[in-house]
Amino acid sequence: AHGVIGPFELDPITRMSLENILSSGASRFPVRHFRDQNDPHPRDLQIHVTQDHVKVVHPGAERGSSEVLAPYSADYPKVIIHPLDTCKFRLELSEEQDKVYHFVALSRTSRDLIALLIRCFHARQYVATAFILSRLFQNPATPGAPLTSVAHYDLDIERLGDRLGKELNRNVAQLESVEKVVRNANLEKRELQAQLGETINSYTEAIEKLHQQLTPAAKGGAAASLQLQIHDARATNSRLQLELQELRPALEEEKQRSAGDDVDGPAAQARARAVEAFRAEITQLRSSISKLAGNAEQYSQRDMTISNELRRLRGDVESLNREKEGLEKCIGQADKEKSDLIENFLYVKGCLDKLQMASLASPAA
């Protein structure tokens, strides 16, 4: 008599967890190890299940870490599930008695995942590909033989097709959203480039005008002419001061000579008019000197204002260039994501096409 166990019916969450672990290729499970049935002090161990071997790790802070490794062979490792307890199982790594472990998993789901994962990896190592193909397709060596039918529990084409269809729809929706984002990004990029071009042109014109205004000053223009005028005015003032000093003794002599004369005579009036004329000329020269000094200060303040404006405009141009570089990086990232989604979409579409062809070629379909 032969007993057959299976196929196993898994709940969707456990099935998804098993598929994810199989795709990753390895996983770790914490368990409790009992040396016998009445062990009062069980140990906390870990089972590492990979595609090449099964490893039992003994973690310990004092004595370090020790491990027992068992590669997949024809008979080992074995997982024997307890018939009554939903968490207990026995793991046999070899024929040696010290490599037979009695474990208690944290939950039933954890125990089932350990057993199924070890059996799946073991089957990958020791189930021949020809055997699997012979169960699915016709043997070319025996033409005319009927095709091997696939049981519904071995390959659920409808479920797989629904899942791939949902994944395809999800990828298509993601692709459409990415294309929309890329279109918006390209539109914003064009608008920003246009605005940036206009801003750069306006700033360039302003800078050129400022350069044109500053070029004569740099070559000795208005500021230099003002300096020359101030220098000439100062020289004239010095000359007039000397003339005034020379005229004062003569004026004193004339006053002494005319001390006995009539103060209202023609000579006295002429001298008074000459003195008033000299004083008016001196006052006019002083006012012109002060005016020229004020103009020089005004031009100096204007030059400082222009320099500050130039620095500000250069800072704005640099910030706009940095913003442009950031937008170009964002567009490059969006293009990369778009290409990745297109590749995923084509891959899923190819898988769906293959699945549809297989379902059409299968008698069960």
Side-chain angles (χ1 to χ4, degrees), residues 5 8-10 14 18 21 28-32 47 49 78-91 102-119:
I5 299 177
F8 294 99
E9 291 292 337
L10 300 177
T14 307
L18 180 62
I21 295 172
R28 300 181 180 183
F29 300 93
V31 293
R32 305 200 73 183
I47 299 176
V49 183
K78 293 181 180 179
V79 179
I80 301 174
I81 298 175
H82 197 279
L84 300 178
D85 198 320
T86 58
C87 295
K88 290 183 179 180
F89 66 97
R90 186 170 76 249
L91 178 62
H102 296 273
F103 289 125
V104 175
L106 299 182
S107 63
R108 179 176 181 176
T109 303
S110 178
R111 185 199 67 174
D112 295 342
L113 285 175
I114 293 171
L116 292 172
L117 192 61
I118 292 175
R119 290 176 182 177

Short mmCIF file of all heavy atoms in Angstrom, two decimals, residues 5 8-10 14 18 21 28-32 47 49 78-91 102-119:
data_model
loop_
_atom_site.label_atom_id
_atom_site.label_comp_id
_atom_site.label_asym_id
_atom_site.label_seq_id
_atom_site.Cartn_x
_atom_site.Cartn_y
_atom_site.Cartn_z
N ILE A 5 0.53 12.12 -0.08
CA ILE A 5 0.18 13.36 0.61
C ILE A 5 0.30 14.50 -0.39
O ILE A 5 1.33 14.66 -1.04
CB ILE A 5 1.09 13.60 1.83
CG1 ILE A 5 0.95 12.46 2.83
CG2 ILE A 5 0.78 14.93 2.49
CD1 ILE A 5 1.88 12.58 4.02
N PHE A 8 -0.57 20.24 -1.65
CA PHE A 8 -0.88 21.10 -0.52
C PHE A 8 -1.68 22.31 -1.00
O PHE A 8 -1.34 22.93 -2.00
CB PHE A 8 0.41 21.58 0.16
CG PHE A 8 1.17 20.46 0.82
CD1 PHE A 8 2.25 19.88 0.19
CD2 PHE A 8 0.80 20.01 2.07
CE1 PHE A 8 2.96 18.85 0.80
CE2 PHE A 8 1.50 18.99 2.68
CZ PHE A 8 2.58 18.40 2.04
N GLU A 9 -2.71 22.63 -0.28
CA GLU A 9 -3.49 23.83 -0.55
C GLU A 9 -3.05 24.92 0.42
O GLU A 9 -3.19 24.75 1.64
CB GLU A 9 -4.99 23.55 -0.40
CG GLU A 9 -5.56 22.63 -1.46
CD GLU A 9 -5.58 23.27 -2.83
OE1 GLU A 9 -5.57 24.53 -2.89
OE2 GLU A 9 -5.61 22.54 -3.83
N LEU A 10 -2.50 25.98 -0.10
CA LEU A 10 -1.98 27.06 0.73
C LEU A 10 -2.91 28.26 0.65
O LEU A 10 -3.54 28.51 -0.39
CB LEU A 10 -0.58 27.48 0.27
CG LEU A 10 0.50 26.40 0.32
CD1 LEU A 10 1.81 26.96 -0.23
CD2 LEU A 10 0.71 25.89 1.74
N THR A 14 0.32 32.75 2.53
CA THR A 14 1.45 31.81 2.59
C THR A 14 2.00 31.53 1.20
O THR A 14 3.22 31.43 1.01
CB THR A 14 0.99 30.50 3.26
OG1 THR A 14 0.38 30.80 4.51
CG2 THR A 14 2.17 29.58 3.48
N LEU A 18 5.79 32.22 0.04
CA LEU A 18 6.64 31.17 -0.52
C LEU A 18 7.21 31.59 -1.88
O LEU A 18 8.40 31.38 -2.16
CB LEU A 18 5.83 29.88 -0.65
CG LEU A 18 6.58 28.66 -1.23
CD1 LEU A 18 7.74 28.29 -0.33
CD2 LEU A 18 5.63 27.49 -1.40
N ILE A 21 10.01 34.12 -1.31
CA ILE A 21 11.24 33.52 -0.80
C ILE A 21 11.94 32.71 -1.89
O ILE A 21 13.17 32.74 -2.02
CB ILE A 21 10.92 32.64 0.43
CG1 ILE A 21 10.39 33.51 1.58
CG2 ILE A 21 12.16 31.89 0.89
CD1 ILE A 21 9.88 32.71 2.75
N ARG A 28 15.74 32.98 6.37
CA ARG A 28 16.10 32.54 7.72
C ARG A 28 14.83 32.42 8.55
O ARG A 28 13.92 33.24 8.44
CB ARG A 28 17.05 33.54 8.37
CG ARG A 28 18.36 33.73 7.62
CD ARG A 28 19.25 34.71 8.35
NE ARG A 28 20.51 34.91 7.65
CZ ARG A 28 21.50 35.68 8.10
NH1 ARG A 28 21.36 36.33 9.25
NH2 ARG A 28 22.62 35.80 7.41
N PHE A 29 14.83 31.40 9.43
CA PHE A 29 13.66 31.15 10.27
C PHE A 29 14.13 30.90 11.70
O PHE A 29 14.96 30.00 11.94
CB PHE A 29 12.87 29.94 9.77
CG PHE A 29 12.37 30.08 8.37
CD1 PHE A 29 13.11 29.60 7.30
CD2 PHE A 29 11.16 30.70 8.11
CE1 PHE A 29 12.65 29.72 6.01
CE2 PHE A 29 10.69 30.82 6.81
CZ PHE A 29 11.45 30.34 5.76
N PRO A 30 13.62 31.64 12.68
CA PRO A 30 13.95 31.34 14.08
C PRO A 30 13.10 30.17 14.59
O PRO A 30 11.89 30.10 14.32
CB PRO A 30 13.60 32.65 14.80
CG PRO A 30 12.56 33.28 13.94
CD PRO A 30 12.86 32.88 12.53
N VAL A 31 13.73 29.25 15.31
CA VAL A 31 13.05 28.07 15.85
C VAL A 31 13.57 27.81 17.26
O VAL A 31 14.58 28.39 17.69
CB VAL A 31 13.28 26.83 14.95
CG1 VAL A 31 12.60 26.99 13.61
CG2 VAL A 31 14.77 26.57 14.77
N ARG A 32 12.88 26.89 17.94
CA ARG A 32 13.32 26.44 19.27
C ARG A 32 13.66 24.96 19.18
O ARG A 32 12.90 24.15 18.65
CB ARG A 32 12.22 26.67 20.31
CG ARG A 32 11.74 28.11 20.37
CD ARG A 32 11.05 28.40 21.68
NE ARG A 32 12.02 28.49 22.76
CZ ARG A 32 11.68 28.68 24.04
NH1 ARG A 32 10.41 28.78 24.38
NH2 ARG A 32 12.61 28.76 24.97
N ILE A 47 17.37 28.52 11.35
CA ILE A 47 17.53 27.66 10.18
C ILE A 47 17.69 28.56 8.96
O ILE A 47 16.81 29.38 8.66
CB ILE A 47 16.32 26.73 10.00
CG1 ILE A 47 16.16 25.81 11.21
CG2 ILE A 47 16.46 25.89 8.74
CD1 ILE A 47 14.93 24.93 11.15
N VAL A 49 17.89 28.55 5.04
CA VAL A 49 17.56 27.73 3.87
C VAL A 49 17.97 28.51 2.63
O VAL A 49 17.49 29.62 2.39
CB VAL A 49 16.05 27.40 3.83
CG1 VAL A 49 15.75 26.50 2.65
CG2 VAL A 49 15.62 26.75 5.13
N LYS A 78 15.94 16.08 5.23
CA LYS A 78 14.54 15.66 5.30
C LYS A 78 13.80 16.52 6.31
O LYS A 78 14.35 16.87 7.35
CB LYS A 78 14.42 14.19 5.71
CG LYS A 78 14.94 13.19 4.70
CD LYS A 78 14.74 11.78 5.22
CE LYS A 78 15.26 10.74 4.22
NZ LYS A 78 15.08 9.36 4.74
N VAL A 79 12.55 16.79 6.00
CA VAL A 79 11.67 17.51 6.93
C VAL A 79 10.47 16.61 7.18
O VAL A 79 9.73 16.27 6.25
CB VAL A 79 11.22 18.87 6.36
CG1 VAL A 79 10.29 19.56 7.34
CG2 VAL A 79 12.42 19.75 6.06
N ILE A 80 10.30 16.21 8.44
CA ILE A 80 9.20 15.33 8.83
C ILE A 80 8.29 16.12 9.76
O ILE A 80 8.70 16.56 10.84
CB ILE A 80 9.72 14.06 9.53
CG1 ILE A 80 10.66 13.31 8.57
CG2 ILE A 80 8.56 13.17 9.95
CD1 ILE A 80 11.35 12.13 9.21
N ILE A 81 7.06 16.33 9.32
CA ILE A 81 6.10 17.15 10.06
C ILE A 81 5.41 16.29 11.11
O ILE A 81 5.03 15.14 10.85
CB ILE A 81 5.09 17.78 9.10
CG1 ILE A 81 5.81 18.71 8.12
CG2 ILE A 81 4.02 18.55 9.86
CD1 ILE A 81 4.90 19.27 7.06
N HIS A 82 5.23 16.85 12.29
CA HIS A 82 4.54 16.14 13.36
C HIS A 82 3.07 15.97 12.98
O HIS A 82 2.42 16.91 12.53
CB HIS A 82 4.67 16.92 14.67
CG HIS A 82 4.36 16.11 15.89
ND1 HIS A 82 3.07 15.87 16.31
CD2 HIS A 82 5.18 15.48 16.77
CE1 HIS A 82 3.10 15.13 17.41
NE2 HIS A 82 4.38 14.88 17.71
N PRO A 83 2.51 14.77 13.17
CA PRO A 83 1.13 14.55 12.72
C PRO A 83 0.07 15.24 13.58
O PRO A 83 -1.06 15.43 13.12
CB PRO A 83 0.99 13.03 12.77
CG PRO A 83 1.98 12.60 13.80
CD PRO A 83 3.14 13.54 13.70
N LEU A 84 0.42 15.58 14.81
CA LEU A 84 -0.58 16.13 15.72
C LEU A 84 -0.35 17.61 16.03
O LEU A 84 -1.29 18.40 16.05
CB LEU A 84 -0.61 15.32 17.03
CG LEU A 84 -0.95 13.83 16.87
CD1 LEU A 84 -0.88 13.14 18.22
CD2 LEU A 84 -2.32 13.64 16.24
N ASP A 85 0.90 17.97 16.29
CA ASP A 85 1.22 19.35 16.64
C ASP A 85 1.45 20.16 15.37
O ASP A 85 2.18 19.73 14.46
CB ASP A 85 2.46 19.39 17.54
CG ASP A 85 2.58 20.72 18.28
OD1 ASP A 85 2.29 21.76 17.66
OD2 ASP A 85 2.95 20.71 19.47
N THR A 86 0.85 21.35 15.29
CA THR A 86 0.96 22.18 14.08
C THR A 86 2.24 22.99 14.02
O THR A 86 2.48 23.67 13.01
CB THR A 86 -0.23 23.15 14.01
OG1 THR A 86 -0.25 23.96 15.18
CG2 THR A 86 -1.54 22.39 13.89
N CYS A 87 3.07 22.94 15.06
CA CYS A 87 4.31 23.71 15.05
C CYS A 87 5.56 22.84 15.12
O CYS A 87 6.66 23.32 14.86
CB CYS A 87 4.33 24.70 16.22
SG CYS A 87 3.06 25.98 16.13
N LYS A 88 5.42 21.56 15.48
CA LYS A 88 6.59 20.70 15.64
C LYS A 88 6.95 20.04 14.31
O LYS A 88 6.08 19.71 13.50
CB LYS A 88 6.31 19.62 16.68
CG LYS A 88 6.20 20.14 18.11
CD LYS A 88 6.01 18.99 19.09
CE LYS A 88 5.93 19.49 20.52
NZ LYS A 88 5.74 18.39 21.50
N PHE A 89 8.25 19.83 14.13
CA PHE A 89 8.75 19.08 12.98
C PHE A 89 10.16 18.60 13.30
O PHE A 89 10.81 19.08 14.23
CB PHE A 89 8.75 19.94 11.71
CG PHE A 89 9.69 21.10 11.74
CD1 PHE A 89 10.95 21.03 11.16
CD2 PHE A 89 9.32 22.30 12.35
CE1 PHE A 89 11.81 22.10 11.19
CE2 PHE A 89 10.18 23.37 12.38
CZ PHE A 89 11.43 23.28 11.81
N ARG A 90 10.61 17.61 12.51
CA ARG A 90 11.95 17.05 12.69
C ARG A 90 12.77 17.29 11.43
O ARG A 90 12.30 17.03 10.32
CB ARG A 90 11.87 15.55 12.98
CG ARG A 90 13.24 14.94 13.33
CD ARG A 90 13.13 13.52 13.85
NE ARG A 90 12.88 12.56 12.78
CZ ARG A 90 11.74 11.90 12.62
NH1 ARG A 90 10.72 12.10 13.47
NH2 ARG A 90 11.58 11.03 11.63
N LEU A 91 13.97 17.81 11.62
CA LEU A 91 14.87 18.11 10.51
C LEU A 91 16.06 17.17 10.60
O LEU A 91 16.80 17.18 11.59
CB LEU A 91 15.35 19.57 10.58
CG LEU A 91 16.34 20.00 9.50
CD1 LEU A 91 15.72 19.89 8.11
CD2 LEU A 91 16.81 21.43 9.74
N HIS A 102 14.94 18.22 16.65
CA HIS A 102 13.51 18.35 16.93
C HIS A 102 13.23 19.83 17.19
O HIS A 102 13.70 20.39 18.19
CB HIS A 102 13.11 17.50 18.14
CG HIS A 102 13.29 16.02 17.92
ND1 HIS A 102 12.33 15.22 17.35
CD2 HIS A 102 14.36 15.20 18.17
CE1 HIS A 102 12.76 13.98 17.28
NE2 HIS A 102 14.01 13.94 17.77
N PHE A 103 12.48 20.42 16.29
CA PHE A 103 12.25 21.85 16.35
C PHE A 103 10.78 22.15 16.61
O PHE A 103 9.89 21.33 16.31
CB PHE A 103 12.65 22.54 15.03
CG PHE A 103 14.13 22.59 14.80
CD1 PHE A 103 14.67 22.07 13.63
CD2 PHE A 103 14.98 23.14 15.74
CE1 PHE A 103 16.03 22.13 13.41
CE2 PHE A 103 16.34 23.20 15.52
CZ PHE A 103 16.87 22.69 14.36
N VAL A 104 10.56 23.35 17.14
CA VAL A 104 9.22 23.92 17.28
C VAL A 104 9.27 25.29 16.63
O VAL A 104 10.04 26.16 17.06
CB VAL A 104 8.79 24.02 18.75
CG1 VAL A 104 7.43 24.73 18.85
CG2 VAL A 104 8.70 22.65 19.38
N ALA A 105 8.48 25.48 15.59
CA ALA A 105 8.45 26.76 14.89
C ALA A 105 7.62 27.77 15.68
O ALA A 105 6.87 27.43 16.60
CB ALA A 105 7.88 26.58 13.49
N LEU A 106 7.77 29.03 15.29
CA LEU A 106 7.02 30.08 15.97
C LEU A 106 5.53 30.03 15.65
O LEU A 106 4.71 30.48 16.45
CB LEU A 106 7.59 31.45 15.58
CG LEU A 106 9.06 31.70 15.94
CD1 LEU A 106 9.46 33.10 15.53
CD2 LEU A 106 9.30 31.49 17.43
N SER A 107 5.20 29.51 14.47
CA SER A 107 3.80 29.42 14.07
C SER A 107 3.66 28.31 13.04
O SER A 107 4.66 27.78 12.53
CB SER A 107 3.30 30.75 13.50
OG SER A 107 4.01 31.09 12.33
N ARG A 108 2.43 28.00 12.73
CA ARG A 108 2.19 26.97 11.71
C ARG A 108 2.64 27.45 10.34
O ARG A 108 3.20 26.67 9.55
CB ARG A 108 0.70 26.62 11.69
CG ARG A 108 0.35 25.57 10.64
CD ARG A 108 -1.10 25.18 10.71
NE ARG A 108 -1.42 24.16 9.72
CZ ARG A 108 -2.60 23.57 9.60
NH1 ARG A 108 -3.60 23.91 10.42
NH2 ARG A 108 -2.79 22.65 8.68
N THR A 109 2.43 28.72 10.06
CA THR A 109 2.86 29.26 8.77
C THR A 109 4.37 29.17 8.62
O THR A 109 4.89 28.80 7.55
CB THR A 109 2.40 30.72 8.64
OG1 THR A 109 0.99 30.78 8.79
CG2 THR A 109 2.79 31.30 7.29
N SER A 110 5.10 29.47 9.69
CA SER A 110 6.56 29.37 9.64
C SER A 110 7.01 27.93 9.41
O SER A 110 7.91 27.66 8.61
CB SER A 110 7.16 29.92 10.94
OG SER A 110 8.56 29.80 10.94
N ARG A 111 6.36 26.97 10.08
CA ARG A 111 6.72 25.56 9.88
C ARG A 111 6.44 25.12 8.45
O ARG A 111 7.27 24.45 7.81
CB ARG A 111 5.94 24.68 10.86
CG ARG A 111 6.34 23.21 10.81
CD ARG A 111 5.28 22.33 11.41
NE ARG A 111 4.05 22.35 10.59
CZ ARG A 111 3.00 21.57 10.84
NH1 ARG A 111 3.02 20.74 11.87
NH2 ARG A 111 1.94 21.63 10.06
N ASP A 112 5.27 25.50 7.91
CA ASP A 112 4.94 25.12 6.54
C ASP A 112 5.91 25.74 5.54
O ASP A 112 6.31 25.09 4.56
CB ASP A 112 3.51 25.55 6.22
CG ASP A 112 2.49 24.80 7.06
OD1 ASP A 112 2.85 23.75 7.62
OD2 ASP A 112 1.34 25.28 7.16
N LEU A 113 6.30 26.99 5.77
CA LEU A 113 7.24 27.63 4.86
C LEU A 113 8.60 26.94 4.89
O LEU A 113 9.24 26.75 3.85
CB LEU A 113 7.40 29.11 5.22
CG LEU A 113 6.24 30.04 4.84
CD1 LEU A 113 6.48 31.44 5.36
CD2 LEU A 113 6.06 30.07 3.32
N ILE A 114 9.05 26.53 6.08
CA ILE A 114 10.34 25.83 6.18
C ILE A 114 10.28 24.52 5.39
O ILE A 114 11.17 24.20 4.59
CB ILE A 114 10.70 25.57 7.65
CG1 ILE A 114 10.98 26.90 8.37
CG2 ILE A 114 11.91 24.66 7.77
CD1 ILE A 114 11.12 26.77 9.87
N ALA A 115 9.22 23.74 5.61
CA ALA A 115 9.10 22.45 4.94
C ALA A 115 8.99 22.61 3.42
O ALA A 115 9.69 21.94 2.65
CB ALA A 115 7.89 21.69 5.49
N LEU A 116 8.13 23.50 2.98
CA LEU A 116 7.93 23.68 1.54
C LEU A 116 9.17 24.25 0.86
O LEU A 116 9.52 23.86 -0.26
CB LEU A 116 6.72 24.58 1.29
CG LEU A 116 5.37 23.99 1.68
CD1 LEU A 116 4.28 25.05 1.56
CD2 LEU A 116 5.03 22.80 0.80
N LEU A 117 9.85 25.18 1.54
CA LEU A 117 11.03 25.78 0.94
C LEU A 117 12.15 24.76 0.77
O LEU A 117 12.80 24.69 -0.28
CB LEU A 117 11.49 26.96 1.80
CG LEU A 117 12.53 27.90 1.20
CD1 LEU A 117 11.99 28.54 -0.06
CD2 LEU A 117 12.92 28.97 2.21
N ILE A 118 12.38 23.93 1.80
CA ILE A 118 13.42 22.90 1.69
C ILE A 118 13.07 21.90 0.60
O ILE A 118 13.92 21.50 -0.20
CB ILE A 118 13.62 22.21 3.06
CG1 ILE A 118 14.23 23.20 4.06
CG2 ILE A 118 14.52 20.99 2.92
CD1 ILE A 118 14.36 22.65 5.46
N ARG A 119 11.81 21.52 0.52
CA ARG A 119 11.41 20.54 -0.50
C ARG A 119 11.50 21.12 -1.91
O ARG A 119 11.87 20.43 -2.85
CB ARG A 119 10.00 20.04 -0.20
CG ARG A 119 9.94 19.18 1.06
CD ARG A 119 8.53 18.77 1.41
NE ARG A 119 8.51 17.97 2.65
CZ ARG A 119 7.39 17.53 3.22
NH1 ARG A 119 6.21 17.80 2.68
NH2 ARG A 119 7.45 16.82 4.34
#
